[in-house]
Every structure is written in structure tokens, then in C-alpha cells.
Amino acid sequence: MVLYTNSMTKMLITGGAGFIGGNFVHYTRKHYPNYQLTVIDKLTYAGNTRTLEPVMDKIEFVQGDICDRELIDKLVSETDIVVHFAAESHNDNSLRNPWPFVETNIIGTYTILEAVRKYNKRLHHISTDEVFGDLELDDPNRFTETTSYNPSSPYSSTKAGSDHLVRAWVRSFGIQATISNCSNNYGPYQHIEKFIPRQITNILSDIKPKLYGTGEQVRDWIHVDDHNSAVHLILEKGVIGDTYIIGADNDHVNNKQVIEMICELMGKGKDFYEHVNDRPGHDMRYAMNSSKLRNELGWQPQYTDNDGMKNGLLATIDWYTNNRDWWQAEKMAVEKKYAEQGQ
Ligand code: NAD
Ligand code: DAU
């Protein structure tokens, strides 16, 4: 087993043309320039090779499906570490058509686990806080590594299933894996179907931002670079078989306050948005207790508290403003799909 080193470690990144995986590729190129990176991505509607354009000549890019056993077998045999981001990731889509979620999130993860087992490679599995279900709005508790699983949507239930597979492969077959469950990410290269980039690109397109229902739901927002610094720390120092919660303590703002913040930061009145249909089964509140990661591994997020979130949002607004080429062609189709559901 090759340990996490600063030399010529080979790393296979699944879903590296997506939002968090793409940012992880950039983060790794910057902080671990000696690593040899291979990205495998199916390039679904959510994958975008333009995200990797600045580093394409420094990585190997393979377009392929994580459910393809032969391909995964080959790629895993050639690497030292697998960081598994690839997934169907959007709750709203999982309510319309759950099958791709079952296929990629469960069968895809199974396929990776079998290859990792065969070649005895180090795996880090990326997961979500949504596996725990939700908290009541007035519940002061936060999710921890021992909170029971209680997922609400087809998306979160398939992510929960994938986490259980990883744990079972650790216990039954002794594979060298860790898991992290992170809260809602924001930052550059996020698909414009998601809450924060949808509202920013709405304003940039002269469309009113759209708030589901009353907007009292709470998400524990984290900047994608903070997520990715935590993943590297877990790869470096995490205990094999352990799970780590990742969160930046931003569970004090609800969706309504976030949309108001975006409107104000973009020079609009704070009420420059409209209410649209709520999401069926909408989770109320997520909140993360990341003390294990902070106390045992020494992790510290950069974008925390009100100022941190404001700075992170400002940088994200700048990015979407300056990178219209990355999102503009898709904007009308995304909004049309939402409009069909009154959203
Ligand atoms: P994303 O939808 O932006 O990217 C997913 C990527 O996976 C895309 O590039 C897509 O083409 C690729 N992909 C999908 N199916 C594939 C398949 N069968 N084979 C190969 N590639 C495939 O998602 P994201 O927001 O970057 O999320 C990445 C991971 O992080 C997911 O596992 C998600 O569950 C998890 N996560 C996301 C968040 C968040 O806030 N976005 C928070 C916590 C955890
Ligand atoms: O919590 C982690 C999860 O965060 C990840 O596992 C998922 O992959 C990721 O998509 C995200 O899930 P959410 O469903 O919380 O994110 P989304 O951006 O879709 O919505 C965030 C909140 O904003 C949610 O309460 C719904 C609301 N919303 C969303 C959209 C798209 C709106 O009010 N208006 C919108 O237009």
C-alpha cells in the first residue's frame, strides 16, 4: 500500500469534471504539484471538461462510467489512491427520475469497491450530510459521526446505501477506506441547477431569484476549498475505517437570508426575489459537528462565520460574473425545466 506522500503519488479522481471533483483537481495541482492525477468522468449533463481546461495538459482525462467494471479495474490497478466523488448529486432530479441515482451512486460505488479490494488500494469515499435526514428548525443538535442514518430523498438514500457498502467492505474485506460526510458546498464551477449559482446567474440574466416555499430551511454552507482541504487531511492523517464529518459552522442562515444576501451583494434590493413551489419532502435543517476532524486531525476552515460566508459568496459572484462562457449556454434550458414544475 502506497502511503500518502508528497512524491509521485498516483491519484484517481472519479467525477473530476463535476463541481467538487473539479475544484479538488485544481486544489491538488496547486498544493501537491508532484501528484500524477487521472480523472474518470462520464460527462453527464453535470460534467464539464471546461472546468479542467486550465490543467488538461497536466492530468490524464478518461471519459468513462464508474459502472464499467473493466475500465475501473484497469484504472484502479494503475493508481495508488482513489478519491471517489462521482455521483448523481441533485435532489430535484432524483425526484423526477431516481434510476440514474441508484445506478451511479450504488452500483458505481460497488464497482469501485471491488476493484479497490482486488488491488488493495487506498480509497476515500465522498458523502453528504443528507444521509442523516434532517433536524427540526428549533433543534439545537448537530449531526455527528454516530448520528443514525435517516435519508429522505432518492438521492440521499442512494448516498446512504453507498456509505453502507464502503463500511461493509472495510469490515468484511479489510479494504483501506475512509468516508467523509460534508454539508452544502458553494464556490466556482458549481452547476447552475444548484441554489447559490442558480440565483447568481438568474440576476446576471435579468431573471428574479427563486426561493422554494417560505425559505426557512437551513443548510450548513461550506466553501468548496474548505471541503477539499479536509479531504486531503483525511487522506494524510485519517484513521482507516473511520468516518469524518466536514462542516464550517455556517448553520445560522436560512435559505431566505442567503438569497437576500446574494441580492444585496449583487446590488439589488434585498427583496428582489420570488417564492416558487416548494420541494416535495424538503429537508428542514442540516447542521454539522466537525469537532472530530478539528480535534483529531487539526482541520480549520477558512470561510466561516458571517464574514467568511460573505467573502466566499462575493468571490463566487465574481467568478460567475467573469465566466459567463462556462454557464450561459445552458441557462435557458435549466430555467425551462424548473418552470415546468412551478419552480
Ligand atoms: P456534480 O453533479 O457537480 O458532479 C458529479 C460528477 O460525476 C459529474 O462530473 C458527472 O459527469 C460525474 N458522473 C456522474 N455519473 C457518473 C458515472 N456513472 N461515471 C462517471 N462519472 C459520473 O456533483 P458535486 O456537487 O460535485 O458532488 C460530488 C460528490 O460530493 C458527490 O458524491 C456528492 O454526493 C458529494 N457531496 C456534494 C455536496 C454538494 O454540496 N454539492 C455536499 C456533500 C457531498
Ligand atoms: O447537504 C449536502 C447536499 O447539498 C449535497 O449532498 C447535494 O449533492 C447538493 O446538491 C446539496 O443538496 P441540496 O438539495 O441542499 O442543495 P440545492 O442547491 O438543490 O438546494 C439548497 C437549498 O435551497 C434547499 O433547501 C432547496 C433550496 N432551493 C434550491 C433551489 C435550486 C431554493 O430555495 N431555490 C432554488 O432555486
Side-chain angles (χ1 to χ4, degrees):
M1 167 86 42
V2 173
L3 295 174
Y4 200 72
T5 67
N6 235 335
S7 62
M8 295 296 277
T9 300
K10 291 185 195 148
M11 189 179 264
L12 176 65
I13 299 166
T14 75
F19 163 47
I20 306 175
N23 277 285
F24 184 81
V25 170
H26 291 297
Y27 188 96
T28 308
R29 281 288 319 148
K30 184 166 166 201
H31 297 281
Y32 304 85
N34 293 331
Y35 279 27
Q36 292 177 29
L37 305 184
T38 301
V39 167
I40 171 174
D41 198 295
K42 188 176 173 180
L43 296 181
T44 66
Y45 79 97
N48 189 339
T49 48
R50 275 170 299 160
T51 298
L52 297 176
E53 239 164 43
V55 294
M56 219 29 138
D57 57 338
K58 298 184 186 72
I59 64 169
E60 185 191 356
F61 179 79
V62 179
Q63 181 173 3
D65 191 329
I66 56 164
C67 301
D68 179 339
R69 287 190 199 185
E70 230 172 87
L71 177 63
I72 290 300
D73 193 274
K74 175 178 176 294
L75 292 176
V76 170
S77 74
E78 292 166 354
T79 196
D80 300 315
I81 297 172
V82 182
V83 189
H84 177 33
F85 291 93
E88 284 293 336
S89 70
H90 194 39
N91 275 297
D92 291 326
N93 292 343
S94 80
L95 296 165
R96 292 182 201 117
N97 179 16
W99 169 243
F101 290 75
V102 174
E103 194 172 41
T104 288
N105 300 358
I106 297 188
I107 298 173
T109 301
Y110 158 81
T111 308
I112 284 164
L113 285 167
E114 282 294 81
V116 161
R117 167 157 87 112
K118 183 169 170 189
Y119 296 107
N120 191 26
K121 298 298 168 89
R122 172 79 167 90
L123 168 70
H124 183 70
H125 174 65
I126 304 290
S127 193
T128 169
D129 56 2
E130 297 199 10
V131 298
F132 304 119
D134 61 349
L135 299 161
E136 298 291 336
L137 285 182
D138 58 359
D139 188 339
N141 289 310
R142 290 175 163 190
F143 300 135
T144 72
E145 287 78 5
T146 56
T147 302
S148 303
Y149 275 36
N150 186 25
S152 317
S153 73
Y155 161 67
S156 52
S157 58
T158 58
K159 289 299 290 187
S162 70
D163 292 8
H164 289 317
L165 291 178
V166 176
R167 291 215 180 88
W169 260 243
V170 169
R171 179 158 173 172
S172 306
F173 306 122
I175 67 158
Q176 309 286 301
T178 42
I179 299 176
S180 53
N181 297 89
C182 187
S183 54
N184 284 65
N185 286 222
Y186 69 97
Y189 303 111
Q190 185 168 29
H191 195 280
I192 55 169
E193 69 190 353
K194 302 295 198 303
F195 180 53
I196 288 178
R198 184 180 182 204
Q199 314 315 334
I200 295 172
T201 56
N202 274 353
I203 294 179
L204 292 173
S205 311
D206 293 323
I207 300 169
K208 283 211 161 184
K210 315 284 183 204
L211 186 64
Y212 290 180
T214 57
E216 60 196 327
Q217 295 79 11
V218 174
R219 299 293 183 263
D220 194 344
W221 293 101
I222 181 171
H223 191 277
V224 64
D225 286 345
D226 282 336
H227 183 176
N228 285 331
S229 72
V231 171
H232 271 287
L233 200 57
I234 296 166
L235 282 166
E236 202 167 344
K237 295 187 182 164
V239 175
I240 295 299
D242 269 20
T243 291
Y244 295 88
I245 292 274
I246 308 174
D249 293 345
N250 283 321
D251 58 322
H252 46 78
V253 278
N254 64 28
N255 292 344
K256 183 169 176 290
Q257 291 164 316
V258 173
I259 217 167
E260 286 174 354
M261 224 190 286
I262 293 171
C263 289
E264 282 187 320
L265 290 173
M266 295 186 72
K268 301 286 181 191
K270 122 180 183 189
D271 297 331
F272 183 74
Y273 65 88
E274 61 190 21
H275 293 271
V276 292
N277 286 345
D278 208 348
R279 173 184 286 171
H282 201 167
D283 278 347
M284 291 311 290
R285 170 178 163 78
Y286 307 143
M288 303 294 262
N289 178 343
S290 56
S291 5
K292 175 177 170 181
L293 183 65
R294 292 170 195 243
N295 297 337
E296 291 182 15
L297 306 192
W299 179 73
Q300 198 53 54
Q302 300 301 307
Y303 298 87
T304 193
D305 67 47
N306 275 339
D307 277 352
M309 172 113 189
K310 201 168 153 189
N311 291 338
L313 278 179
L314 273 172
T316 307
I317 291 166
D318 271 358
W319 190 86
Y320 283 93
T321 307
N322 295 324
N323 289 277
R324 281 175 181 265
D325 286 357
W326 188 87
W327 57 267
Q328 202 148 31
E330 278 176 282
K331 183 64 186 170
M332 288 311 140
V334 170
E335 288 309 308
K336 186 166 173 270
K337 205 160 130 193
Y338 273 125
E340 282 160 10
Q341 291 169 190
Q343 292 181 319

